[in-house]
Amino acid sequence: MRTIALDRTVLAYEDVGPDRCTPLLLVHGHPFDRSMWAPQLRHFSADRRVIVPDLRGYGASGGAVPDWSAFVDDLAALLDGLRVPRAVVAGLSMGGQIALELWARHPDRVAGLLIADTTAAGESGESRVARIAQAQRLLREGMDPYAVENLYLMVSPDAPPDVARHVLAMMRSTDPAGAAAAQRARADRPDRRASLAAVTVPTVVVVGSEDSFTPVADARVIADGVPDAELVVVDGAAHMPNLERPDAFNAALQRLLDRVPTH
């Protein structure tokens, strides 16, 4: 693990692999940490540089985001600190929303996109209220009740036991204050559906066939909106196909990498 000091916080990250083509930046979801990308870090770092941060307020990173834009500002500052002009960006769930936001605000930093188990839509009035209520609950009760209730929505009931244990441990170990701040920030994030047609980089959209948080229909909206995007539905996986079905997920990510110029 490495760390980098940013404005009012410190980000923890991994940075491994040979620097001989466009680096890969992996952005985790809520309420997880960089360890959710362990199968991808092992697989892809043999051939290229892979950068895997803990987002602010998660894992070993400090602080809590004041607003939605802070996640993107942190990633741009991390790339600056590592002297990475452009990266292929893969994000899952909240990480996918952050990846879309990074493209919208810093398109010159993004060489390709993998958007997994994500919606590009903003919050409705009802869902915004629910997200803020969830933030309040996390502060009041801690992470354990949320983790237990949501485990078999994050992964399918048939997920390998070691995967389920890993996902449960990540959720339980997340700082409630950081997770709550992220939920409040997400409640006010912009709707990015109208800007999908402006995406000009190679894009792959991945979703688990059993994902009830962001179902296949949400993934199809993104894939239909981004020119020439590929849609990959991972059979039998729920919200975290990268952990449940890493071979299928890695194959989809490799197809994206093959479409990105090496320099």
Side-chain angles (χ1 to χ4, degrees), residues 14-34:
E14 304 289 344
D15 180 6
V16 297
D19 191 10
R20 58 189 178 209
C21 53
T22 306
L24 175 61
L25 173 66
L26 302 175
V27 187
H28 69 76
H30 163 89
F32 307 120
D33 57 48
R34 70 185 189 277

Side-chain angles (χ1 to χ4, degrees), residues 30-49:
H30 163 89
F32 307 120
D33 57 48
R34 70 185 189 277
S35 72
M36 68 161 275
W37 294 114
Q40 289 68 49
L41 184 62
R42 285 193 300 269
H43 183 82
F44 290 100
S45 64
D47 296 315
R48 70 175 60 231
R49 188 178 183 185

Side-chain angles (χ1 to χ4, degrees), residues 26-37 52-59 68 71 75 90-99 116-118 131 134 143 146 154 167 170-171 174 178-179 182-183 186 213-214 239-240 242-243 249:
L26 302 175
V27 187
H28 69 76
H30 163 89
F32 307 120
D33 57 48
R34 70 185 189 277
S35 72
M36 68 161 275
W37 294 114
V52 193
D54 281 334
L55 296 170
R56 190 190 305 206
Y58 291 90
W68 180 244
F71 282 128
L75 292 182
L92 184 143
S93 192
M94 182 179 77
Q97 293 166 345
I98 294 169
D117 299 83
T118 296
R131 203 171 285 284
Q134 184 188 104
M143 296 302 300
Y146 175 93
M154 298 296 185
V167 171
M170 283 192 292
M171 291 194 287
T174 295
Q183 292 299 79
R186 292 175 80 188
F213 284 121
T214 51
H239 196 55
M240 304 187 74
N242 72 300
L243 285 173
F249 188 94

Side-chain angles (χ1 to χ4, degrees), residues 8-230:
R8 299 183 180 179
T9 194
V10 173
L11 285 193
Y13 66 96
E14 304 289 344
D15 180 6
V16 297
D19 191 10
R20 58 189 178 209
C21 53
T22 306
L24 175 61
L25 173 66
L26 302 175
V27 187
H28 69 76
H30 163 89
F32 307 120
D33 57 48
R34 70 185 189 277
S35 72
M36 68 161 275
W37 294 114
Q40 289 68 49
L41 184 62
R42 285 193 300 269
H43 183 82
F44 290 100
S45 64
D47 296 315
R48 70 175 60 231
R49 188 178 183 185
V50 184
I51 301 163
V52 193
D54 281 334
L55 296 170
R56 190 190 305 206
Y58 291 90
S61 291
V65 288
D67 53 41
W68 180 244
S69 64
F71 282 128
V72 171
D73 293 341
D74 286 350
L75 292 182
L78 176 62
L79 293 177
D80 287 343
L82 298 179
R83 299 183 179 180
V84 174
R86 299 181 82 213
V88 176
V89 184
L92 184 143
S93 192
M94 182 179 77
Q97 293 166 345
I98 294 169
L100 286 173
E101 194 70 16
L102 183 63
W103 161 261
R105 293 184 53 204
H106 301 283
D108 57 314
R109 310 305 298 268
V110 179
L113 282 169
L114 186 143
I115 306 298
D117 299 83
T118 296
T119 177
E123 302 289 352
S124 66
E126 181 179 353
S127 66
R128 182 181 186 278
V129 169
R131 203 171 285 284
I132 292 172
Q134 184 188 104
Q136 294 168 338
R137 182 191 178 196
L138 294 176
L139 291 174
R140 184 175 63 251
E141 299 179 1
M143 296 302 300
D144 193 70
Y146 175 93
V148 172
E149 288 173 16
N150 286 280
L151 174 60
Y152 287 110
L153 297 174
M154 298 296 185
V155 297
S156 69
D158 295 329
D162 60 327
V163 169
R165 286 193 295 270
H166 178 198
V167 171
L168 184 63
M170 283 192 292
M171 291 194 287
R172 280 176 161 163
S173 65
T174 295
D175 179 5
Q183 292 299 79
R184 291 192 297 268
R186 292 175 80 188
D188 293 323
R189 73 185 189 280
D191 190 311
R192 286 298 176 194
R193 288 174 293 182
S195 61
L196 294 174
V199 176
T200 57
V201 295
T203 300
V204 172
V205 183
V206 180
V207 64
S209 64
E210 308 307 309
D211 190 347
S212 59
F213 284 121
T214 51
V216 174
D218 289 351
R220 189 167 285 116
V221 168
I222 301 173
D224 289 346
V226 175
D228 300 318
E230 177 189 359

